[in-house]
Amino acid sequence: DLAGDDFGDVSAVIAAFAAANGTPANAAANDEILFTLSNNSANATGLYYFKDVDGDGGISVGDKIALLAIIGAANVAAADFNFA
């Protein structure tokens, strides 16, 4: 969960992503990832876009990250999205 409910706190986002992501075995330069982080109050989820420009598997200088949406739910799953 994202401490402090602050979806725009880049340091907190990086720390939460690193804790959940671990050490990826197959990271490559320019990988593009969508990921979610729930807030500490358990009533919203942030949807983020991450482009790993350097391919090190972590969010670092030169990489790109964007908050795409804040969803009014504690968690989201694949069934919540309609790809039709």
Side-chain angles (χ1 to χ4, degrees):
D1 290 347
L2 191 57
D5 294 353
D6 188 355
F7 292 105
D9 183 342
V10 177
S11 296
V13 170
I14 291 170
F17 179 82
N21 193 41
T23 304
N26 59 350
N30 296 311
D31 277 349
E32 294 177 301
I33 301 167
L34 291 175
F35 68 94
T36 61
L37 294 173
S38 296
N39 66 349
N40 199 24
S41 297
N43 62 6
T45 300
L47 175 64
Y48 294 88
Y49 165 83
F50 165 49
K51 183 169 186 174
D52 189 5
V53 174
D54 57 11
D56 67 357
I59 301 171
S60 56
V61 173
D63 291 338
K64 298 176 182 178
I65 186 168
L67 175 61
L68 301 177
I70 298 175
I71 303 161
N75 295 297
V76 293
D80 296 324
F81 298 91
N82 182 356
F83 297 101

